Amino acid sequence: VLSPGGAANAPLTGTCLGGGDATVTVTGFTAELDGAPVVVTSGGDSDRSCIRANIASGTLTMTFSGNVDSNDTLTYTIYA
């Protein structure tokens, strides 16, 4: 789910569920977002911290301190 901001230069915010690994990817972003700053939070039963998030070649890759599963909602905000 991606929610574009209502004003110009507003961040893009989206959510996804963990997949059982420490790395989660979301595809489908445009090349203009490559390298944009990303902030990620996780909510759920795993209580993991995001240690790295980046967009390259249209793919957002989020790496966590441990496995995140389908009970974990990951919220990412992209500042483009």
Side-chain angles (χ1 to χ4, degrees):
V1 176
L2 184 64
S3 302
N9 297 324
L12 301 171
T13 300
T15 61
C16 64
L17 298 177
D21 295 321
T23 300
V24 176
T25 59
V26 180
T27 60
F29 295 101
T30 61
E32 291 85 13
L33 294 176
D34 285 1
V38 181
V39 175
V40 179
T41 58
S42 125
D45 62 355
S46 297
D47 194 30
R48 303 295 186 199
S49 298
C50 184
I51 56 175
R52 180 179 38 226
N54 68 316
I55 301 175
S57 300
T59 298
L60 169 60
T61 302
M62 300 171 279
T63 304
F64 293 87
S65 59
N67 292 349
V68 288
D69 59 31
S70 61
N71 291 318
D72 298 305
T73 300
L74 313 175
T75 302
Y76 52 88
T77 302
I78 303 167
Y79 294 90

